[in-house]
Amino acid sequence: MKPKNIYRIKNLFTIVLINLAVFLSSCRMGADNDKLIVGKNGNLVQIKLEANSTPEVKFAATELQEYLELITGDRLPIVEGEKVNGKIKGIYLTSGQDERLTLDGFKITADNNGVVVEAREPRGVLYGVYQLLEEAGCSFVYPGKQEEVVPRLNTVEFISGERVFNPVLEHRGLTPYSLQASTVELGRDFIDWMAKNKMNYILISEDRKTDCPGSAHSSIWKEVDIELLPELQKRGFIIEMAEHTIDIFFPRTLFEEHPEWFALIKGERRIGDENDPYTGQMCYSNKDAVEYYAKEVADYAAKRHEFHIIGTWPRDGGQWCECSHCQNNPNVLFDAIEIVAEKVKEVRPDIAVEYMIYSKPKGFQPPPDKLPENMSFLWIPDNGDLDSLGRQWSRQSNLQAQGTYQFEYLMGDNYRSRTNVWLDPSLAVNNARHAQYMEFRGVTSLFLPLENWWRAAFNNWFFAKACWDTELNIDSCLHIYCTHYYGKSAADTEEVFQSILYELQADQSLMIYNSRVDNTEKYKSLVPIAAGIAERIGEIMNSSREPIVVERLSRLKAYVEYFRLYYQGLSSGEEGSLARLSEYSHNHPEYRMVLMSPEYIEWRNSGLLK
């Protein structure tokens, strides 16, 4: 072949390569043009709402606007009344009737028209917004803006295609203690955090006084309702007014005029003083007493339309009536609350009257043949031995009434755990799975108290996610958490968590102290493990150059140190050996989000070792 022809072939080959490069480049440009981006050179330039959108959807729009601005620096205008096919691309928040959507689930669609978030329930749109923000890199494990992780990026690119998200559990709730005037801002952060984790149910109490040192056991809604009710409503919360609220509707002051309305104990009807707060149970077989109680509950419900469920819990602590009428009727408590439900239905047919499936007065009973349609039921026992009975209640109440809910203690109750709530993602995920198996309509977990949020929030972050995906991979979620919160120390911290979860806390039977079982040797074996983990955390802290990471690691270290002292004290078996727990808390007030107050620790553990 002549050199000139070779040159022509080379030249032709070069032209082909150039044309191919141009073609591929144009393909890439086309792909880039198809991307949906907020931020630098972004093509999503507004947030669109339907005309007359609900308060929840409008709030969702402001949340999306605020966080996208924090992330990218761009503030998208909110436009109402625009159609999804508008000429200007944006993020469209709307109601939808897609048959695949259930409960407060949501659908996210990203295509040439923009990004669409739709849901049947208005709060589902808000959850869709938080899903978008999480996918953009935000993390909401703990309450409070200062605890959130919000990345700083030039752009946010949205995942293309159509995705449907539905919850497994309809109502996902918490019962915050220490909610009162002094904690109103913490309560505001708490409500905000719950919604960001797609939790939709809160159980509050009108006026529950504390029965411990400090305010850890109080819940006084009447002190915070003006400030916090709007926060709940714009997020679409289901609100239950319950707890041991019988004092509101059946006060002990009635005893002076009607002693026969109160429980007969050892042959005497009596109530105690302020040092005996658990006396004064109602005689539930007394028709006049029940009628008075029912009228008071109905009058209250008629005035308070913000509540969706109203509780009729008896007084805590037992001391049930021993009169023959109460003793001979195993359903005496249910029969009384059925009368309450009838009276409430006359004025508020839309509200559910909650009956507490309690261990007394006659132990746990199967459900009656017929359940009133306006009653819901609260299941108290732990997961396990009574599951078959619980499923009877849930199945029958799902058909005839307003369903059965579980009241859960272990994810955040410092009273039940004697101030040593474990970081336990497996428990949290299994709680969601168990609730699905039990066919519960919802779960509400005790969060005691608000100020001590670090451990309970961690557990409930996993629980909230599992309520949408019971096949949740715990290790993958833990990896995401560590990546977000521990910076360059993420890998080392993740190893520490693995040691905590699978070595220090391998024996689940130790979660709750049991005086009937001698676990001394188990406690002793955990002390050096805890010491080694705490030492490792200290090494990671010393090597870190990120102040916020050091602070977060110090909380984890305080948790492990307290764990070590707790089991060191129990293993010694000596009276007063647990005093080091309150001393540790006293010396470290900066970790009050991790540790209970020294006064509470001393009160809760007093007399534990005798």
Side-chain angles (χ1 to χ4, degrees):
M1 185 177 293
K2 295 181 180 180
K4 188 174 183 179
N5 290 335
I6 293 174
Y7 174 80
R8 285 178 178 174
I9 292 173
K10 287 183 177 179
N11 191 42
L12 181 61
F13 183 68
T14 301
I15 292 172
V16 170
L17 288 177
I18 291 172
N19 288 334
L20 180 61
V22 170
F23 172 74
L24 292 174
S25 177
S26 67
C27 289
R28 284 194 297 271
M29 288 179 64
D32 288 341
N33 289 336
D34 288 340
K35 289 180 180 179
L36 297 166
I37 295 173
V38 170
K40 186 176 181 180
N41 299 322
N43 55 358
L44 298 176
V45 295
Q46 62 182 11
I47 299 169
K48 305 179 184 183
L49 304 180
E50 294 174 312
N52 302 316
S53 291
T54 66
E56 296 94 331
V57 174
K58 290 181 178 179
F59 177 67
T62 60
E63 286 285 89
L64 184 61
Q65 181 187 58
E66 176 186 334
Y67 278 93
L68 288 179
E69 183 178 14
L70 287 173
I71 295 169
T72 68
D74 280 8
R75 185 175 181 84
L76 304 187
I78 298 173
V79 180
E80 292 192 51
E82 284 277 336
K83 298 291 185 182
V84 68
N85 292 321
K87 294 180 180 180
I88 302 175
K89 287 185 178 180
I91 305 173
Y92 189 64
L93 309 182
T94 181
S95 59
Q97 296 302 319
D98 191 315
E99 293 182 353
R100 293 173 295 173
L101 292 172
T102 61
L103 305 174
D104 47 11
F106 55 90
K107 181 174 71 174
I108 299 176
T109 306
D111 56 25
N112 289 333
N113 292 316
V115 177
V116 181
V117 179
E118 63 178 282
R120 291 186 175 188
E121 284 277 350
R123 64 174 173 266
V125 174
L126 179 62
Y127 300 153
V129 163
Y130 290 138
Q131 181 69 30
L132 291 177
L133 294 175
E134 283 193 0
E135 291 172 357
C138 294
S139 188
F140 308 113
V141 177
Y142 303 110
K145 298 285 188 184
Q146 71 280 3
E147 299 295 332
E148 297 174 357
V149 170
V150 181
R152 300 297 187 263
L153 306 170
N154 290 326
T155 61
V156 171
E157 180 182 342
F158 295 92
I159 300 171
S160 62
E162 181 182 88
R163 297 173 292 147
V164 175
F165 302 80
N166 286 317
V168 175
L169 198 62
E170 181 178 2
H171 292 158
R172 312 165 295 276
L174 292 172
T175 302
Y177 269 26
S178 189
L179 182 62
Q180 56 191 4
S182 62
T183 60
V184 65
E185 291 308 315
L186 184 55
R188 198 186 310 275
D189 288 343
F190 182 79
I191 291 167
D192 180 57
W193 164 78
M194 283 185 68
K196 283 172 175 168
N197 286 286
K198 307 182 186 74
M199 303 182 84
N200 60 8
Y201 190 105
I202 191 167
L203 192 157
I204 53 181
S205 181
E206 175 78 9
D207 189 14
R208 187 198 199 282
K209 301 295 193 300
T210 190
D211 56 1
C212 68
S215 61
H217 290 184
S218 64
S219 180
I220 310 177
W221 179 249
K222 67 180 184 180
E223 293 184 356
V224 301
D225 58 347
I226 293 175
E227 293 89 350
L228 297 186
L229 180 59
E231 301 296 329
L232 291 171
Q233 290 176 329
K234 69 185 180 183
R235 293 170 172 86
F237 269 81
I238 297 101
I239 309 173
E240 176 179 353
M241 173 59 70
E243 237 283 338
H244 298 282
T245 54
I246 192 170
D247 273 323
I248 301 168
F249 310 118
F250 195 79
R252 288 177 173 84
T253 53
L254 292 170
F255 182 81
E256 183 175 350
E257 187 174 351
H258 295 286
E260 73 278 8
W261 288 4
F262 289 80
L264 180 73
I265 306 295
K266 296 181 180 179
E268 179 185 6
R269 299 187 189 271
R270 67 178 186 86
I271 56 173
D273 57 22
E274 63 274 8
N275 297 317
D276 194 6
Y278 299 118
T279 61
Q281 201 74 266
M282 187 193 303
C283 175
Y284 281 97
S285 64
N286 187 298
K287 294 182 179 180
D288 292 335
V290 172
E291 183 68 21
Y292 176 93
Y293 178 50
K295 183 179 182 302
E296 291 296 304
V297 176
D299 288 348
Y300 181 90
K303 299 173 185 175
R304 305 299 294 270
H305 283 263
E306 66 270 31
F307 301 135
H308 304 87
I309 299 177
I310 189 164
T312 58
W313 302 15
R315 287 192 170 87
D316 207 1
Q319 303 198 41
W320 302 95
C321 184
E322 297 170 356
C323 78
S324 59
H325 296 292
C326 286
Q327 290 296 307
N328 294 332
N329 180 5
N331 291 319
V332 63
L333 182 58
F334 180 88
D335 291 346
I337 304 309
E338 187 174 17
I339 294 172
V340 177
E342 292 172 358
K343 188 73 71 174
V344 170
K345 188 176 182 180
E346 295 174 3
V347 295
R348 282 289 306 280
D350 59 315
I351 196 173
V353 175
E354 182 178 79
Y355 171 73
M356 193 181 200
I357 306 171
Y358 214 34
S359 59
K360 297 292 182 180
K362 289 292 183 180
F364 291 101
Q365 300 288 330
D369 293 336
K370 180 64 177 176
L371 302 176
E373 63 180 1
N374 69 325
M375 283 180 67
S376 64
F377 305 90
L378 191 66
W379 181 250
I380 302 301
D382 290 337
N383 303 343
D385 294 339
L386 294 175
D387 280 0
S388 60
L389 180 61
R391 279 167 66 85
Q392 289 184 47
W393 278 95
S394 61
R395 287 179 170 178
Q396 187 171 332
S397 62
N398 286 338
L399 291 172
Q400 297 180 356
Q402 299 297 312
T404 298
Y405 296 79
Q406 180 185 15
F407 197 69
E408 196 279 338
Y409 295 92
L410 299 180
M411 291 190 290
D413 180 358
N414 280 283
Y415 180 83
R416 176 77 183 278
S417 67
R418 293 188 179 271
T419 78
N420 193 35
V421 171
W422 286 16
L423 299 177
D424 200 337
S426 63
L427 167 73
V429 173
N430 285 332
N431 278 338
R433 293 171 179 166
H434 182 261
Q436 182 186 28
Y437 162 75
M438 293 291 289
E439 301 179 43
F440 290 144
R441 190 176 179 188
V443 172
T444 181
S445 184
L446 189 57
F447 198 108
L448 186 168
L450 278 176
E451 296 93 332
N452 194 249
W453 47 259
W454 187 80
R455 292 166 292 155
F458 178 85
N459 288 337
N460 278 283
W461 181 72
F462 282 91
F463 172 73
K465 288 188 175 303
C467 285
W468 291 74
D469 176 15
T470 53
E471 300 303 314
L472 189 77
N473 186 293
I474 293 172
D475 288 338
S476 294
C477 277
L478 184 64
H479 176 76
I480 292 169
Y481 162 76
C482 291
T483 300
H484 281 151
Y485 280 86
Y486 297 99
K488 296 177 182 178
S489 302
D492 291 332
T493 306
E494 189 173 348
E495 290 180 3
V496 166
F497 269 98
Q498 295 289 336
S499 297
I500 292 172
L501 301 180
Y502 302 115
E503 296 179 41
L504 184 61
Q505 298 176 173
D507 191 342
Q508 294 284 310
S509 69
L510 300 180
M511 183 181 294
I512 301 298
Y513 175 78
N514 187 344
S515 60
R516 296 184 297 275
V517 180
D518 184 4
N519 285 318
T520 302
E521 293 305 315
K522 291 182 178 180
Y523 298 147
K524 286 181 179 179
S525 69
L526 293 175
V527 173
I529 294 175
I533 294 173
E535 183 179 357
R536 176 61 182 139
I537 297 171
E539 293 171 353
I540 300 171
M541 291 170 62
N542 290 334
S543 64
S544 175
R545 296 296 180 265
E546 301 171 274
I548 187 64
V549 171
V550 172
E551 180 183 349
R552 290 168 179 167
L553 284 167
S554 71
R555 297 172 181 176
L556 185 61
K557 188 170 184 287
Y559 168 78
V560 176
E561 286 283 7
Y562 186 89
F563 207 104
R564 178 182 65 82
L565 291 171
Y566 187 76
Y567 287 112
Q568 189 174 39
L570 290 178
S571 65
S572 75
E574 297 176 3
E575 185 176 357
S577 62
L578 292 176
R580 281 170 290 187
L581 298 173
S582 54
E583 291 172 5
Y584 186 79
S585 175
H586 176 78
N587 293 332
H588 295 284
E590 69 274 22
Y591 300 133
R592 196 61 72 238
M593 78 292 288
V594 180
L595 309 171
M596 292 296 289
S597 71
E599 295 79 15
Y600 186 92
I601 294 171
E602 183 176 358
W603 169 79
R604 185 66 187 105
N605 291 315
S606 63
L608 189 62
L609 300 177
K610 295 182 180 180

